[in-house]
Amino acid sequence: MRVEAFAALTAADLDAWHTLREANPALDSPYFHPGFAAAVHASGRPVHVAVARDGGRPVAFLPHHREGRLLRPVGWPGADFQGPILAAGAGFRPLDLLGNGAAGYAFDHLVEGAPGFERWVVSRRPSPYLDVTGGLAGYLGRASRSGKENMGQARRRAAKAGRELGELRFVAASSDPKALARVVELKRAQYAATGARDFFAGQDRVRLLDGLLRARDPGFSGVLSTLHAGEHLLAAHFGLRSGGVLHWWFPVYDPAFARLSPGWILLRELVAAAPALGIVRVDLGRGEDEYKRRAKTGESVVCQGLVTRNPVRGAAAAALSKARSVARSVRARRKP
């Protein structure tokens, strides 16, 4: 396995990347499309790719960043699905990633069943999704009771917003840079209010979203959806799309209109628009958030762990993961 700069990959390499990904259903998330690695690299954050070749022919790719002696998946900490790009059923040797000063490969959203990684997995968490085949009617036929109830409430609150604030307008795929700037502004305010780490503190992350909004690859792009009532932006979402999969990435709403649950209204509009957009699945990303639990029609599993030859570092990673799991359980029990 040889590590190459993303910019050094040839057109033939990228064609092989596409071929491997398209032949493996486990890699249909937009995070595995080379367009995502390209956008991250273009934002100013260097991307390297570990490439395994067989007789000169690429058989596996793993895009990543290097931080000192640690390797991290491309786009970390904003990459909600991770793993090597390779043919279904092919093998992979994670230890081959190490060397030349790299002592570990840390992952936190590795797709379940990624070949070769099992011994380094220290925890697993659900990653909910919505099957939106058939649009709103199809979704409601598969949704849980709470999902149906919340969608019904969203319909009634949408009507109320229209009466009180002005005509409701939903744009499934906006190209408005001002609306994207508002998404970042609202998201940063949310991070500050909840004490979460500010993903957009680094300007490269803002540049990443700007670049994704401008992306025009027919197989990969950023998707900005907005919901207005009159002059007011109630809610918006910026995500990634590849083929029939949309990844729910940065949803926001204006707290001034929280009483209307605008996030649910936006989600309902997006589900209804799915057939016209060619979307059959919306990945909500890892987490046990209440709205994800209510809205989901199913879930996949993502794994956390550390590939290392050092047993002490491996044990420390396992202990840290367990401590975080306990902390999440405590917070969940304290919620009303």
Side-chain angles (χ1 to χ4, degrees), residues 29-307:
S29 167
Y31 288 104
F32 295 116
H33 193 285
F36 180 66
V40 173
H41 188 74
S43 73
R45 189 178 182 195
V47 174
H48 293 85
V49 186
V51 185
R53 300 180 186 273
D54 181 5
R57 178 176 59 91
V59 293
F61 298 87
L62 196 144
H64 61 272
H65 305 288
R66 181 160 180 169
E67 299 179 353
R69 302 189 67 199
L70 188 65
L71 306 181
R72 294 192 182 276
V74 63
W76 184 90
D80 289 349
F81 285 101
Q82 303 158 2
I85 290 85
L86 72 175
F92 190 81
R93 297 188 299 182
L95 284 176
D96 288 351
L97 297 168
L98 309 185
N100 297 317
Y105 173 75
F107 53 89
D108 55 4
H109 290 77
L110 185 79
V111 291
E112 176 79 293
F117 283 88
E118 181 61 34
R119 63 178 285 198
W120 289 285
V121 171
V122 298
S123 65
R124 292 173 169 82
R125 293 180 64 189
S127 184
Y129 63 81
L130 278 63
D131 181 344
V132 294
T133 306
L136 187 59
Y139 166 78
L140 291 175
R142 292 179 289 270
S144 66
R145 179 178 176 180
S146 60
K148 293 183 177 73
E149 289 174 350
N150 277 271
M151 287 298 182
Q153 291 172 2
R155 176 178 53 80
R156 293 188 290 273
R157 286 168 175 161
K160 182 177 182 180
R163 291 193 301 270
E164 296 181 357
L165 302 172
E167 181 184 1
L168 208 67
R169 290 178 291 112
F170 170 71
V171 179
S174 169
S175 58
D176 184 358
K178 292 182 179 179
L180 180 59
R182 181 62 173 155
V183 168
V184 173
E185 179 185 4
L186 287 169
K187 203 66 183 177
R188 297 194 73 180
Q190 179 187 335
Y191 292 142
T194 59
R197 181 177 296 179
D198 185 353
F199 179 82
F200 295 108
Q203 282 302 302
D204 61 300
R205 278 92 181 267
V206 178
R207 289 194 298 270
L208 172 60
L209 266 62
D210 288 338
L212 288 168
L213 182 65
R214 296 192 300 270
R216 292 296 180 265
D217 187 320
F220 173 84
S221 66
V223 178
L224 174 62
S225 302
T226 60
L227 177 73
H228 285 81
E231 299 178 351
H232 307 285
L233 177 67
L234 302 186
H237 166 255
F238 186 83
L240 300 173
R241 189 262 177 89
S242 179
V245 179
L246 174 68
H247 192 89
W248 187 256
W249 203 15
F250 294 108
V252 296
Y253 66 89
D254 189 332
F257 305 105
R259 62 187 174 82
L260 296 170
S261 298
W264 274 99
I265 301 175
L266 176 71
L267 184 58
R268 184 179 185 276
E269 293 288 342
L270 192 57
V271 171
L277 297 172
I279 300 296
V280 297
R281 191 179 82 233
V282 178
D283 285 328
L284 297 179
R286 188 190 76 185
E288 295 87 7
D289 308 69
E290 183 68 11
Y291 84 90
K292 293 182 181 182
R293 184 185 68 78
R294 291 176 179 272
K296 71 179 182 180
T297 61
E299 61 186 31
S300 57
V301 174
V302 292
C303 309
Q304 300 77 52
L306 174 70
V307 176

